[in-house]
Structure formats: C-alpha cells, structure tokens
Amino acid sequence: MSGILRGPGEGEVVFDEERRTLRVLVDREELTATWFRYAPGEDGPDPHVHRRHTDAFYVLEGELELGLGPGAAEIVRATPGTFVAAPPEVVHTFRNASGVEAVFLNFHAPSMGFGDMLRARRDGRDEDAERFDQFDPPPNGGRPLAEAVVSRPEATELFDRENRAIAIKSDLPQVSAFDIAFDPEFVIDPHRHDDHVDSFYVLAGEVDFTAGEDVLRAAAGTWFSAPPGMRHGFRNPGPGRARVLNVHAPDGGFTGRVRGG
C-alpha cells in the first residue's frame, strides 16, 4: 500500500479557468481534499447543508468569505491560517469577496462522493452531480452556528512543548486538524492507523515522510496522505523549524491524545 504524495502544483485538475482552479489532492471514501484558487469576486455555491458529512476549509492565501449558520447570516472573513468547518446540517456558503486571489484547501469527510460530483459537473452530467450529499437549507435553519468551527491563527488551543507546538484547529469527530510546528529533533517514528486517513500539507520548511519503506522529501506546498494500514512517519531534516497542517479523517481519538500530552 502506497501513500499519496502531491507536490506543489500537482493533483488531478478538474477545473482550470481564469476565475478558478480546482485540483483534487486525495479522493478516498474517508476524505476528499482539494486545492482551490478563486479569482477576486468569484462566488461559490448558494447556502446549503450536507446531511452526512463535514465540509471544512483552510485558507492559504488571500481572504475567503464564509457565511455560516441559519440563513448563512454569520459572515467570517478567513485569512491565511484560518480553519473553518461546517458539520452536518450546518448551513454554509463561501466566496472570494476581496480584490485579490484566494487560495484554500477544502475537505469533505467522509467524502460522500465529492470527487465524483466535481467530475460530473465538469462533464455536464448534472443528474449524477445531483446525487451528492448537498441540499437546500432546511426550514428550521439547520443546526446552530455554535456547532461550526472557526479557528483563527491567533485564537487557537495551543500546546507549546519542548520541541514542537501543536494548535488544535478542529476537534470534530469526522475531521480533526492540527497546525504543528516542530524542530529537527522531533521525530514521529513509522506507525500505522487502522481506522483513519492521516494527511499532511507542508506549510513551511521541508519534511521527510516515511511511506512504507520509502522516505519522501516534501517541500512547502506538498500534500501527503497515509491511508489506513499504511506504515508512515515524519521528521524535519532541518535546519530550522518545519510546519504542517495535519488532518485526521475521522479523528480516531487523536485530539484526545494531543490534549493528554
């Protein structure tokens, strides 16, 4: 079993237009992760809900405007380092309302066929696209805003330890996320998870990922996913700190282990 490695600019291109670019980084039952570029003024979908999965966003560049909660009335202007997640039945929408490009990662966990829906829309197969787990806001307004996750760079649950700092960005059961900055002496030895996909997006520095028996060096902008059962680990080859966004789908108890030390 092999890991999924996408270098900067790599991935399955679904749309590449002047107004937007979308690349699929990983497409599995547990998680579909995509890389988006929205031109200034580009609108996303109308307010909607997902009934069986979480839709989450992490902003890399620019600013993404999200509407959350009943009526999508709560407006969040998400800048780089902001993580936003809408669990099932939380109304949400998004757009680039700014004057500069917005670049962001989007996560659907579990996937519920999100990748196939994107391909169906690209190919004009609207009937297939409509089978996706996406619906108009319910009459009752959906789940309350308080059940959404909005984690800004400056307002996170941070655990600053001897050779690493871990910020919890999301602790939802379907998808948890962590901003991890770590020194060269911090090493995660090869291990396996049987119950979730363990994924990483390199935000700064370089990271050596173990994937089975191979070691893969990854620069900033690289995505790596270890499917269930795959031997994997990571280390920082130095000389300075490296930083990753680490995503678990589902959480698999990882958030509790971080909080427990």
Side-chain angles (χ1 to χ4, degrees):
M1 183 179 296
S2 61
I4 298 165
L5 186 78
R6 308 292 189 203
E10 294 182 348
E12 177 192 352
V13 177
V14 180
F15 300 104
D16 190 11
E17 307 159 346
E18 183 177 352
R19 62 193 183 95
R20 62 177 177 168
T21 300
L22 187 161
R23 296 196 300 264
V24 177
L25 302 175
V26 60
D27 188 16
R28 291 183 51 87
E29 181 179 348
E30 303 91 341
L31 172 72
T32 295
T34 50
W35 183 98
F36 272 93
R37 178 194 58 84
Y38 265 23
E42 177 69 6
D43 287 330
D46 291 334
H48 61 278
V49 297
H50 306 296
R51 293 175 179 168
R52 293 183 289 171
H53 78 279
T54 293
D55 192 0
F57 307 81
Y58 182 84
V59 178
L60 296 168
E61 300 175 21
E63 180 180 281
L64 189 67
E65 181 182 286
L66 298 106
L68 295 170
E74 179 70 16
I75 301 300
V76 174
R77 290 180 172 84
T79 54
T82 302
F83 190 97
V84 177
E89 299 289 353
V90 171
V91 177
H92 60 286
T93 184
F94 59 95
R95 64 175 183 155
N96 180 4
S98 76
V100 299
E101 284 191 342
V103 178
F104 57 97
L105 303 175
N106 181 216
F107 310 101
H108 289 255
S111 167
M112 301 306 301
F114 182 67
D116 288 339
M117 183 275 291
L118 292 172
R119 298 177 190 103
R121 286 188 177 175
R122 176 196 61 196
D123 299 338
R125 294 182 285 110
D126 293 341
E127 183 176 316
D128 291 339
E130 289 172 1
R131 297 192 182 100
F132 179 58
D133 176 37
Q134 182 164 313
F135 304 91
D136 291 336
N140 66 1
R143 290 168 66 182
L145 172 66
E147 299 195 27
V149 170
V150 178
S151 177
R152 300 188 183 276
E154 70 281 2
T156 55
E157 188 177 357
L158 179 65
F159 298 87
D160 197 351
R161 293 167 178 152
E162 181 180 356
N163 50 17
R164 75 271 193 200
I166 305 175
I168 297 177
K169 308 295 287 183
S170 171
D171 61 356
L172 296 173
Q174 291 183 321
V175 59
S176 57
F178 312 86
D179 186 321
I180 307 174
F182 55 103
D183 296 330
E185 60 266 26
F186 177 67
V187 177
I188 295 297
D189 292 326
H191 60 285
R192 293 177 174 85
H193 304 296
D194 294 327
D195 57 355
H196 68 274
V197 176
D198 194 2
S199 300
F200 305 81
Y201 186 86
V202 182
L203 297 168
E206 290 186 322
V207 179
D208 285 344
F209 290 107
T210 299
E213 300 303 321
D214 298 324
V215 176
L216 312 169
R217 180 154 296 183
T222 299
W223 175 270
F224 173 72
S225 285
M230 198 200 82
R231 181 179 184 266
H232 66 287
F234 64 95
R235 63 179 293 273
N236 173 4
R241 271 202 161 186
R243 183 168 156 244
V244 298
L245 179 72
N246 180 210
V247 177
H248 293 247
D251 174 60
F254 188 77
T255 303
R257 292 195 288 277
V258 170
R259 288 178 172 141

